[in-house]
Amino acid sequence: MTDLFSPYSFKSLELKNRVVMAPMCQYSVEQKDGIATDWHYMHYVSRAVGGTGLIIIEMTDVEPDGRISDYDLGLWSDEQIPALKRIVDACHSYGAKVGIQIAHAGRKAEDAEVPVAPSAIAFDENSKQPRALTTDEVKGMVEKFRSAVARAVKAGFDAIELHGAHGYLIHQFHSPLTNKREDEYGQDLTLFGREIIQAAKAELPEDMPLMMRISAKEYVEGGYGINESSEFAKAYKEAGVDVFDISSGGEGPIAAWGRPGTHAAYQVPLAKAIKEALNVPVIAVGRLDDPKLANAVIGNEEADLVAVGRGLLRNPYWALEAATVLRKTTDVPKQYTTGF
């Protein structure tokens, strides 16, 4: 029987268990230069010590104005590679594999003087008014993603995740709420995302998996649902995505749909739907901190991997604790064996 502590392999990615640390921004780059700090090193390496199978480094941006805040990580410069490589190498030494989420915040870039977006539509009344990217600038943005992915490969990451969820730039392009363009990128809402996927694949070793996080449902009036996201995910799969990380929401202020995330496993049905529609590996995420619940998601074949967010913020040794609760065997550091 497959469970949370069954090994998982896909292409060159070989995981000792199915516990994933979800990418979560730390807003801790105090020098505002995009370079990972000692905080990031301790934060991520402690989760490797704690038994996590796959650690996904937080949203890391392709240009300075692509950051949510100026305190975010970046990969627009070669100078940002060594600090990330240090983290990857240390995590590897404790048995974890490491991915990184490559992104651009688009109109949700809070510290950009003038944010950019597919169309000049602000996120809400409290957000800055973005300007629409020109067609040439959109093509240039694809190349910025390409360069960031190439740097991530040099840093030694085991997998790359493109951020196409939560109302950030790729999501903004494939959402009809925010893409009102009249050029080729408005006529085909998946074109921008597909071009980024193809650019990323060109920089990846052939056996390295490319992951993509998507919002499978928008909680806004007129927003898309699982039927529409299944269709654009198919286009992304055909372009080269190997694994989908299934989240939801983020595009526009929540209106009549109500507030999401009020119950455990609320996004698991979305992950299962994408998995079945595309016959593709998926990561489930969203209030899956209870080890028994996370284990059931795997055992019931609703997802292939389970991402834990807040649970791993509270406890870097979540995976070791989960193995104890589930009575599963896992590698405990010899220094900690008396605790388990």
Side-chain angles (χ1 to χ4, degrees):
M1 294 292 291
T2 302
D3 60 50
L4 192 61
F5 287 89
S6 299
Y8 182 76
S9 298
F10 188 88
K11 291 190 170 182
S12 63
L13 184 66
E14 297 184 359
L15 304 178
K16 63 182 179 181
N17 59 46
R18 295 168 186 248
V19 179
V20 178
M21 181 178 184
M24 294 172 285
C25 289
Q26 297 296 290
Y27 304 111
S28 296
V29 184
E30 295 178 358
Q31 297 300 314
K32 301 184 180 182
D33 55 8
I35 297 174
T37 66
D38 285 344
W39 172 263
H40 296 94
Y41 180 88
M42 292 185 292
H43 173 63
Y44 290 112
V45 176
S46 63
R47 274 71 188 174
V49 173
T52 304
L54 174 63
I55 294 166
I56 304 180
I57 301 291
E58 65 202 78
M59 180 171 168
T60 301
D61 300 290
V62 303
E63 67 172 2
D65 280 350
R67 295 173 287 182
I68 301 171
S69 85
D70 286 348
Y71 297 95
D72 290 351
L73 293 177
L75 260 178
W76 62 79
S77 167
D78 288 351
E79 294 178 356
Q80 294 156 338
I81 296 174
L84 290 171
K85 186 177 189 303
R86 176 175 174 246
I87 292 171
V88 172
D89 290 347
C91 288
H92 284 168
S93 73
Y94 294 110
K97 299 300 173 69
V98 193
I100 187 169
Q101 188 182 72
I102 303 298
H104 191 294
R107 69 178 188 167
K108 296 178 83 172
E110 297 172 3
D111 289 339
E113 184 175 349
V114 180
V116 296
S119 303
I121 304 170
F123 177 66
D124 60 24
E125 64 275 9
N126 299 315
S127 300
K128 293 179 180 177
Q129 177 67 33
R131 68 172 182 84
L133 290 160
T134 67
T135 302
D136 285 344
E137 285 176 328
V138 176
K139 296 181 184 298
M141 191 67 73
V142 172
E143 293 307 308
K144 290 177 181 179
F145 272 87
R146 179 196 299 272
S147 296
V149 168
R151 293 187 180 100
V153 172
K154 289 181 181 178
F157 285 97
D158 303 290
I160 305 298
E161 178 172 281
L162 299 174
H163 200 345
H166 299 169
Y168 299 123
L169 191 61
I170 295 174
H171 183 169
Q172 290 165 29
F173 269 87
H174 67 228
S175 174
L177 291 172
T178 46
N179 186 345
K180 306 295 185 182
R181 301 176 68 90
E182 297 181 353
D183 66 357
E184 58 196 288
Y185 293 99
Q187 294 164 8
D188 179 351
L189 301 189
T190 67
L191 180 59
F192 180 61
R194 289 189 290 109
E195 287 185 346
I196 289 172
I197 292 162
Q198 292 162 352
K201 293 290 279 192
E203 300 298 330
L204 296 186
E206 188 174 347
D207 62 349
M208 181 184 289
L210 179 66
M211 305 186 297
M212 188 175 200
R213 174 166 272 197
I214 63 168
S215 286
K217 180 179 181 179
E218 291 181 315
Y219 300 99
V220 291
E221 290 282 6
Y224 64 73
I226 189 62
N227 292 333
E228 293 82 3
S229 62
S230 294
E231 287 302 312
F232 70 66
K234 286 178 184 177
Y236 291 156
K237 177 188 175 183
E238 291 173 1
V241 173
D242 298 302
V243 179
F244 284 92
D245 184 356
I246 308 301
S247 189
S248 65
E251 191 59 319
I254 295 167
W257 286 94
R259 184 170 180 80
T262 56
H263 57 274
Y266 72 104
Q267 293 175 148
V268 171
L270 301 173
K272 181 181 179 182
I274 295 292
K275 178 178 173 65
E276 292 177 347
L278 276 67
N279 190 28
V280 67
V282 300
I283 304 171
V285 65
R287 295 186 178 270
L288 297 173
D289 297 355
D290 183 327
K292 293 181 180 179
L293 176 58
N295 191 54
V297 169
I298 299 298
N300 292 332
E301 299 183 347
E302 296 169 293
D304 301 273
L305 302 166
V306 168
V308 177
R310 292 175 180 85
L312 272 164
L313 287 182
R314 292 191 300 270
N315 179 8
Y317 311 110
W318 186 93
L320 299 181
E321 294 278 7
T324 300
V325 170
L326 298 171
R327 299 182 180 179
K328 301 295 180 180
T329 300
T330 192
D331 294 330
V332 177
K334 63 181 181 181
Q335 298 89 340
Y336 292 168
T337 51
T338 55
F340 293 91

